[in-house]
Amino acid sequence: MKSYGQYCGLARSLDTVGDRWNLLIVRQLLIGPARYGDLRAGLPGLATNLLADRLRDLETAGVVRRQVADAGSAVAYALTPWGSELREPVEALIRWATPLMVEGPGDDRFDPAWLHVALPALLRDRPRSRRTVTLGLDVDGALLRLRVGRAGIEVETGDGDSDSDGGDGGRTVDATLRTSAHLLLGLAAGALTIADAQAWGAVDIEGDTDAVHRVLGG
């Protein structure tokens, strides 16, 4: 890796993670440990040889480590404890990029898995009710579950069926929100309100509407 040759925290940080694709690899590993093939799938446009080079550099720097995957002897990549501390600057960059997201995706690719990092970043400073609220999200056909409470913000893959009977081991949702990734990110960032999205016919809510407002405002 090339160095800026400057005794400055920012310069040395960029020496380590500033190369093209490095922070996007970190984004993928903030979602969770991943095998090499999973990283390739989550990083469209990244050549396999360049991914191997970047992983090797990050491992040498102490940002990434290899471990045994859950399924057996296969290798998975994970962030080290020090590497995991990149969550804060990554989330700050996501919030900073809000004006850049307003124009929509255009021809850019989108993976719903990226919402696992984006939604906690955008919702971090929102007021939270004492009661945990769970929303089912149907984002362009991809099903996720967003749980927001005093303990924190979690995003997981799951169905978006609303259900208030308390079954399913507490994994039911208070409401289901169906919309596009563009609109959901705008709502989470506070760039538009639910009322606006409903007026445009761009969002559909099934279940406890108040629960949606408690999480996303507006």
Side-chain angles (χ1 to χ4, degrees):
M1 292 183 290
K2 295 181 180 179
S3 171
Y4 287 101
Q6 299 179 15
Y7 185 59
C8 162
L10 177 60
R12 290 198 171 178
S13 296
L14 292 174
D15 285 346
T16 304
V17 296
D19 280 344
R20 184 173 173 83
W21 293 104
N22 277 2
L23 281 181
L24 294 185
I25 292 171
V26 169
R27 177 198 64 196
Q28 295 303 114
L29 296 179
L30 285 171
I31 298 171
R35 298 181 184 184
Y36 187 84
D38 296 328
L39 287 173
R40 282 193 62 193
L43 294 163
L46 175 57
T48 182
N49 62 322
L50 186 55
L51 174 58
D53 289 344
R54 292 292 186 260
L55 286 170
R56 183 173 57 250
D57 290 343
L58 290 171
E59 188 175 4
T60 300
V63 176
V64 168
R65 61 183 173 87
R66 282 182 281 184
Q67 64 183 37
V68 177
D70 292 339
S73 59
V75 171
Y77 292 88
L79 293 172
T80 64
W82 183 53
S84 296
E85 293 177 12
L86 284 164
R87 180 178 294 276
E88 183 178 349
V90 167
E91 289 189 348
L93 283 170
I94 290 172
R95 290 189 293 272
W96 178 80
T98 296
L100 306 175
M101 302 292 283
V102 171
E103 64 186 33
D107 294 329
D108 287 348
R109 299 173 182 176
F110 174 75
D111 186 339
W114 301 337
L115 293 171
H116 287 248
V117 179
L119 289 179
L122 295 172
L123 295 171
R124 189 189 70 170
D125 296 328
R126 294 287 189 95
R128 301 179 203 166
S129 63
R130 291 186 177 182
R131 185 177 75 84
T132 297
V133 175
T134 304
L135 301 182
L137 303 176
D138 183 339
V139 185
D140 297 323
L143 303 179
L144 302 168
R145 188 178 291 106
L146 171 64
R147 185 176 293 107
V148 180
R150 291 291 184 184
I153 302 168
E154 298 178 10
V155 181
E156 60 185 19
T157 302
D159 66 77
D161 293 334
S162 61
D163 187 352
S164 60
D165 66 5
D168 194 23
R171 296 179 59 183
T172 55
V173 300
D174 295 285
T176 297
L177 180 73
R178 296 181 179 88
T179 189
S180 67
H182 180 205
L183 269 293
L184 177 61
L185 290 169
L187 290 168
L192 72 156
T193 67
I194 294 171
D196 290 335
Q198 288 178 314
W200 302 334
V203 64
D204 177 61
I205 298 173
E206 178 183 331
D208 185 356
T209 302
D210 289 341
V212 178
H213 284 273
R214 285 198 295 275
V215 173
L216 297 173

